[in-house]
Amino acid sequence: MKVLIAGAGRLGTQIAQVLSAARNDVTLVERDDERLAELDDMPRVRVLAGDASEPGFLAGAGARAADVLIAATGRDEDNLVISLLAKRRFSVARVAARVNDAENTWLFDGRWGVDVAVPAATPLVSLIEEATGATDTVALLRLSKAGVEVIETAITEDSRAGGHTLGEIALPAGTVVATVVRDGQPTVPGPEIRLRPGDEILLVSHEATEQEIHAAFQ
């Protein structure tokens, strides 16, 4: 799923991290250079500097190909303009917008291109569920809140796990394989799956460190 997020505040950044971890194609847009400089490294997220309320910039950011646009800036007027452009000019299938001031809620409807209006106080999990309509991806966020780490490792030509089945890999305690992504497609992680170079493995663990998990495969 291609997701375009306008606003790299705390909310927009968290949404980008969760959806990118769930293997969505995420672009995060922010016009404040100082805010951009404060962002932590997000290797799976395309971060662009610019104003999403400008049609030309929004087009360049990928609005025409987006499946979902989330307007998550701190200004309701900006979120409305971004939503209207996304729906009317770029025909984005699903548009969600954050409502910062409850008194403006009545504006956030189809007339402004908003499919889903989300009050600022709505929990992050609910916002992502409403915005994307995909509750399965939100499980990653729930896991992190429960103290469970989501860790990724990849099989290369040099990985000692290459050629072995998942059942032959000694995983650290409290660790399970969530999925094996092969040729861009997730597969059910049965013990009989034989790992090969190019495979990407998503694991969840409440005890092991990232280094311990990598050591099991590399």
Side-chain angles (χ1 to χ4, degrees):
M1 180 169 62
K2 294 184 180 297
V3 183
L4 180 57
I5 303 170
R10 181 188 60 81
L11 182 64
T13 301
Q14 288 181 332
I15 295 171
Q17 290 172 331
V18 172
L19 293 181
S20 64
R23 304 219 167 257
N24 294 289
D25 182 347
V26 179
T27 298
L28 180 61
V29 172
E30 174 58 56
R31 66 182 181 185
D32 188 329
D33 291 337
E34 291 185 5
R35 174 55 192 153
L36 287 171
E38 295 172 355
L39 291 179
D40 294 330
D41 184 42
M42 293 187 290
R44 297 187 189 88
V45 178
R46 178 184 178 218
V47 179
L48 299 179
D51 188 349
S53 62
E54 292 290 336
F57 176 79
L58 203 58
R64 288 190 176 90
D67 300 300
V68 176
L69 181 140
I70 302 173
T73 80
R75 293 166 54 90
D76 285 345
E77 52 268 43
D78 288 345
N79 290 342
L80 288 170
V81 170
I82 294 166
S83 297
L84 187 62
L85 285 172
K87 183 65 70 174
R88 299 287 183 260
R89 177 165 293 196
F90 300 109
S91 301
V92 177
R94 192 167 180 85
V95 177
R98 179 186 185 184
V99 184
N100 296 280
D101 186 341
E103 293 185 0
N104 294 330
T105 301
W106 64 278
L107 289 167
F108 286 74
D109 58 20
R111 292 170 299 175
W112 281 93
V114 178
D115 297 306
V116 180
V118 187
T122 300
L124 179 60
V125 168
S126 298
L127 187 151
I128 299 175
E129 288 178 345
E130 288 287 338
T132 65
T135 58
D136 53 340
T137 63
V138 184
L140 294 174
L141 180 62
R142 291 198 176 103
L143 286 171
S144 66
K145 287 188 173 182
V148 178
E149 293 293 327
V150 179
I151 301 172
E152 180 183 4
T153 191
I155 303 301
T156 68
E157 294 288 352
D158 298 324
S159 300
R160 62 180 181 178
H164 291 276
T165 65
L166 275 179
E168 295 171 332
I169 308 299
L171 295 176
T175 302
V176 296
V177 177
T179 189
V180 175
V181 180
R182 176 170 292 170
D183 299 327
Q185 298 297 321
T187 61
V188 178
E192 74 285 352
I193 290 181
R194 194 168 298 276
L195 300 175
R196 64 193 192 196
D199 287 348
E200 297 174 84
I201 306 167
L202 197 66
L203 307 98
V204 292
S205 180
H206 61 81
E207 294 186 24
T209 65
E210 186 171 353
Q211 290 74 21
E212 289 173 328
I213 287 178
H214 287 325
F217 291 90
Q218 307 303 331

